[in-house]
Amino acid sequence: MTLTQAVRSTAPGKTTPKRAGRTRSEAKRAAPAFYWMVWPAVIAFAAFHTVPVIVGIFFSFTNYAGYGAWNFVGISNYLNLFRDDRVLQAYGFSFLFAIVATILTNAISLAIALGLNAKIKARNFWRGVYFVPYILAILVIGYVFQFFFSNSLPKILAGIPLFRDNILTNDTWAWTAIVVLAVWQGCAFAIIIYLSGLQTIPAEMYEAASLDGASAWRQFRSITFPLIGAFFTINVVLSLKGFLQVFDPIVALTNGGPGTSTESVTLLIFRGGFSGGEFAYQTANAVIFFIVITVVSLFQFRVLQRREADF
Amino acid sequence: MSNRSRPLRRVAAVVAAGAVITLLGGCASSADSEVTTLNFFQFKGEALEDFDEMIADFEAKNPDIRIRQNQVADADTLIRTLLVKDRVPDIITLNANGNFGRLAQAGVFHDFSDEPVLKTINPAVQEILADLGTYGDEVNGLGYVNNANGVIYNQDIFEEQGLEVPETWDEFVAVCDALVEAGITPFYGTLADSWTGIPSWNALGAYPAQDDFFDKLRAQGEDVGPDSEVSFQKDFGEVMDQQLTLFSYMQEGYRGRTYDDGNAAFANGESAMLLQGIWATNPIKQVNPDIRMGIFPYPGTDDPDDRLLVSGVDVVFTMGKDNPKQEAAMRFIEYAFQKDVIEDFAASQNMVPSVVGAELSDDAALQSVKPYFDDGRITGFIDHQVPPSIPLIPIDQEFLFNGDAESALAALDNEWRKVAARTIPVTTGDDE
């Protein structure tokens, strides 16, 4: 807060004496109100995000347990991470989960968005229905789904051993149940973005295409999809980033189990760092994970943006 | 199991931390030479009122001492914070888990070796504390009340079926078979709460863990494996087989049931036994106050005389090293260990008092474990010896789901090796 005040008091102080001679640059400058809108966010972001991140990176080079004394240990935390098969398994799980969930979320939401954009009856009602999962708290849905998987489904599909024995306790397939929950909830927001994308496409394009005799599939392939390319990019990048950091659906459904078979990187960091007493070690893991996510997101933007079309 | 109430404790931790710091500040500034005010760090929420009564009685007899009880949430974290800041409470109670052992090893607690009160305590209880860790040869805590980790059984069902309490492993399996034949579910499984697999693992694992198993395991560190002197793969095979055998006698759908479901089902006579500890008897009685139940130790051996009851020190008394108010604090601790005082407390908490000769309450479950305490045939929880960064509970739960003992034991050895390799002890600093 003191920083904001300092900024405000110095800014007019500098400019007042020179005001007469510098009318040109004065006109170019934005009104102070705009700076007022920007500064609080920057300061809050620095105080609550950037500073803790830097402190965290610092402690990843120590053997700090979260309390008490510590020493510098160099990069040994990072070296041990690459030798820890539990960590590697968590990365494997997170990527498998994120890729499958991203593909499903985008395919399903694009299909639903096309339907919701068409001239169907009670269109606003359907749009509302598909947005509901986004409003509900994830832990509430999580426990509903947990009841569904462990109590309802075993009775409904009693003939299939996988479901009868509660899929959440199957170490090979428990992750698919988490995908179902995550996709069910993730679709709501993706649909909204695709809908807004679809509404930017002028209707004349479709008229022209249908006059030329283009089929519905051809229209989708050559008009709709290229023109919502930017929306596709943002959806894929956001959902992959979000699904890589999956945490709450796992806590609600399996809590990482059975065993450690559905332990994501974020869950491992939380567990090992707080209840496991290996604060510094898991902070090193968090630093690596941060870098991985940044690289993956930048790579996606590069690849996907090349494919976007404009009109 | 103190683990269960952790989320709640964490919520209140900040509030409690604030309260303690304020109180400590108050202590320092009060210059009253007549009355000594002692700050009492108390971790057990259920015991708040019992300690309040004890303190009131003590203050009535000792007008020169005032005691302020601070019932704290998330005591393990808070006590570390206080120790780091050199704001050590005058009297401390803690749950004697692995965390207590690590603090004791750091040499932050008083040495009770020469205190006369030590001689009144059951040596087997103090042995459990010593196994957790001490500073040199010191005695860093006084065990107050103990719990018991055994098989809870419905005495009415056992009598109706003409069954005796099993004393060997074969008898145990025979009892289960007889119950199945009579159409009664032997155990009610609750694996939806993953930790409920651990009480039976602790009890059965206590047998191979005798003879300093964990000391040897720690000494081997990075070299633990199937070929080392001791390892999970080498010594725990039978434990896993036994645990899996017990879980094969569970009711249908035990994978989806929770701890609370199990207590309610057992209280209503849906199963003859429950693989839990004495902490479950209170919730069971809330469902069915008339139930008659007892506890027997897991008979993991073929010789009835080798049976051991796994018991943890639920409340341990200690205080900081070089406490200026040591003499006053010791007076309260000695008062707490008087027979009638500890008897009242233990009866109210449904625990076993540590003082030799102190009577247990009439509770049938407590009376059934009394002989093991009298004979000193008790041993500690082995999961307190496993570093918390090893995912013991998930590994055991997965094993109970898929029955693959070899991979579960290999996973435990592997985690032990990795934790040993990456744990770099702090070499400087003032608190550890």
Side-chain angles (χ1 to χ4, degrees), chain A residues 63 67 71 84-85 259 278, chain B residues 80 394 414 418 422 424 427:
Chain A
N63 59 358
Y67 52 82
N71 300 122
D84 189 343
D85 48 1
E278 293 187 312
Chain B
R80 285 170 187 276
N414 181 32
K418 285 187 305 184
R422 70 181 181 235
I424 303 158
T427 48

Side-chain angles (χ1 to χ4, degrees), chain B residues 41-57:
Chain B
F41 180 97
Q42 206 278 99
F43 82 100
K44 200 172 166 69
E46 311 93 283
L48 175 69
E49 283 161 19
D50 286 340
F51 273 120
D52 270 341
E53 277 174 33
M54 193 189 295
I55 289 167
D57 292 344

Side-chain angles (χ1 to χ4, degrees), chain B residues 271-288:
Chain B
S271 78
M273 292 178 274
L274 202 59
L275 298 180
Q276 276 293 346
I278 202 158
W279 50 85
T281 57
N282 270 344
I284 290 169
K285 273 191 187 156
Q286 276 168 15
V287 179
N288 179 4

Side-chain angles (χ1 to χ4, degrees), chain A residues 63 67-71 73 76-77 80 83-87 150-151 165-166 168-169 171 255 257-261 263 270-272 275-278 281-282, chain B residues 6 10 80-81 84 99 102 192 194 255-257 388-391 394-395 397-398 401-402 414-415 418-419 421-432:
Chain A
N63 59 358
Y67 52 82
W70 46 269
N71 300 122
V73 296
S76 65
N77 281 333
N80 285 323
R83 287 192 216 123
D84 189 343
D85 48 1
R86 190 179 171 199
V87 170
S150 48
N151 295 340
D165 295 342
N166 186 355
L168 296 178
T169 65
D171 46 7
N255 206 10
T260 53
S261 56
E263 198 170 55
F270 177 75
R271 271 194 185 166
S275 43
E278 293 187 312
Y281 179 64
Q282 292 300 346
Chain B
R6 209 164 255 175
R10 210 164 273 160
R80 285 170 187 276
T81 323
V84 168
N99 189 36
R102 282 186 287 279
S194 54
R255 297 173 171 208
R257 298 286 159 217
S389 43
I390 292 180
I395 289 175
Q397 187 203 27
E398 183 176 24
F401 283 159
N402 66 18
N414 181 32
E415 291 291 330
K418 285 187 305 184
V419 171
R422 70 181 181 235
T423 304
I424 303 158
V426 177
T427 48
T428 59
D430 44 21
D431 69 318
E432 292 198 74

Side-chain angles (χ1 to χ4, degrees), chain B residues 90 92 100 109-119 121 126 138-142 316-320 326 329-330 333 337:
Chain B
D90 301 311
I92 302 167
F100 172 78
F109 295 136
H110 178 71
D111 180 13
F112 293 90
S113 303
D114 300 327
E115 301 292 347
V117 67
L118 180 63
K119 298 194 177 60
I121 301 174
Q126 289 302 123
E138 292 185 2
V139 176
N140 295 121
L142 302 170
V316 58
F317 264 97
T318 187
M319 58 187 183
Q326 181 182 322
M330 215 46 233
I333 293 177
F337 278 86

Side-chain angles (χ1 to χ4, degrees), chain B residues 394-410:
Chain B
I395 289 175
D396 190 51
Q397 187 203 27
E398 183 176 24
F399 157 70
L400 293 172
F401 283 159
N402 66 18
D404 189 347
E406 260 172 52
S407 85
L409 293 173

Side-chain angles (χ1 to χ4, degrees), chain B residues 121-183:
Chain B
I121 301 174
N122 188 337
V125 171
Q126 289 302 123
E127 187 64 30
I128 290 173
L129 282 181
D131 282 345
L132 294 174
T134 58
Y135 185 66
D137 292 335
E138 292 185 2
V139 176
N140 295 121
L142 302 170
Y144 195 55
V145 290
N146 272 49
N147 57 30
N149 178 25
V151 182
I152 307 178
Y153 68 104
N154 186 321
Q155 292 175 328
D156 288 333
I157 294 182
F158 267 56
E159 278 167 24
E160 280 163 24
Q161 300 298 324
L163 295 171
E164 294 280 322
V165 167
E167 296 184 342
T168 65
W169 180 252
D170 293 338
E171 284 178 30
F172 196 13
V173 175
V175 163
C176 294
D177 287 333
L179 286 165
V180 170
E181 218 149 277

Side-chain angles (χ1 to χ4, degrees), chain B residues 43-75:
Chain B
F43 82 100
K44 200 172 166 69
E46 311 93 283
L48 175 69
E49 283 161 19
D50 286 340
F51 273 120
D52 270 341
E53 277 174 33
M54 193 189 295
I55 289 167
D57 292 344
F58 174 78
E59 285 177 346
K61 288 171 195 158
N62 299 273
D64 58 328
I65 297 177
R66 291 200 62 77
I67 294 176
R68 304 283 285 274
Q69 177 181 190
N70 301 311
Q71 202 279 303
V72 299
D74 201 1

